[in-house]
Amino acid sequence: MQNKLTEQNKPEEMNDLNEQTVPCATDKCRSIRLLIGGIAQGKTTYALTAYGRETPRWEDFAAWFRERLQNGGSPEEECEAFLSGGAPPPKACLAGEDKEQPLLILADEIGSGIVPMAKEERAYRERYGHYLCRLAEEAQSVERLLCGLAQKLK
């Protein structure tokens, strides 16, 4: 994945964060299908219905991302390491051993709504949003869920 976030267009809140991402060679990465949507908009139900229970999936991606940031981790690097096969799946990820099977990433859409007052919350939202853009760029497909209905974006 190529990081299109440059020093010139990086939000000011991100300057304080230690953002380091590891480029992922597409031919070596596990293919992904990204499902995005607000909380309780039917992502899990849709994933199970449309793709089946046996399809590897990573639920609550936003919660995992936030938890890794709060504990001093680098969720971008950890995700890239996993997708490229260099690290085991995080606990939140229900990924099987078959790396040929696409991985569903169920991600909350958090960019709409009220902008938080806390600098840390704004920085989290920016960092998470930028990383979702990177995942969407590399994803085999991207679908947005609203009221249980899927809209194919890619």
Side-chain angles (χ1 to χ4, degrees):
M1 289 187 213
Q2 294 296 323
N3 189 353
K4 294 184 179 178
L5 186 62
T6 65
E7 288 301 318
Q8 291 83 23
N9 69 5
K10 183 166 52 170
E12 193 172 314
E13 288 88 359
M14 290 180 68
N15 290 333
D16 297 335
L17 298 173
N18 179 18
E19 180 181 80
Q20 298 174 348
T21 55
V22 179
C24 186
T26 307
D27 58 335
K28 294 181 181 176
C29 284
R30 181 176 200 147
S31 73
I32 58 172
R33 294 179 185 269
L34 184 61
L35 302 179
I36 62 169
I39 294 173
Q41 290 300 310
K43 294 181 296 293
T44 301
T45 301
Y46 175 78
L48 294 173
T49 304
Y51 295 99
R53 293 191 173 278
E54 301 304 315
T55 302
R57 64 188 182 281
W58 190 340
E59 297 184 18
D60 294 328
F61 185 76
W64 172 83
F65 196 94
R66 177 190 295 271
E67 184 268 329
R68 294 306 305 134
L69 281 177
Q70 289 173 340
N71 290 328
S74 176
E76 299 94 343
E77 286 183 3
E78 293 171 34
C79 186
E80 298 287 341
F82 163 62
L83 291 175
S84 65
K91 289 180 185 176
C93 183
L94 306 170
E97 296 298 318
D98 182 7
K99 293 184 175 134
E100 298 300 315
Q101 201 173 16
L103 172 69
L104 296 176
I105 296 180
L106 285 64
D108 289 342
E109 187 175 348
I110 62 170
S112 302
I114 299 170
V115 176
M117 292 183 64
K119 181 179 179 180
E120 297 79 19
E121 278 298 306
R122 289 192 311 272
Y124 154 69
R125 284 170 52 133
E126 287 290 331
R127 194 163 161 180
Y128 176 74
H130 282 289
Y131 194 66
L132 280 185
C133 289
R134 293 194 62 220
L135 287 177
E137 186 177 305
E138 289 298 321
Q140 184 178 351
S141 67
V142 180
E143 295 173 86
R144 180 173 187 240
L145 275 287
L146 183 64
C147 298
L149 302 173
Q151 177 183 25
K152 189 165 183 78
L153 303 178
K154 176 180 176 184

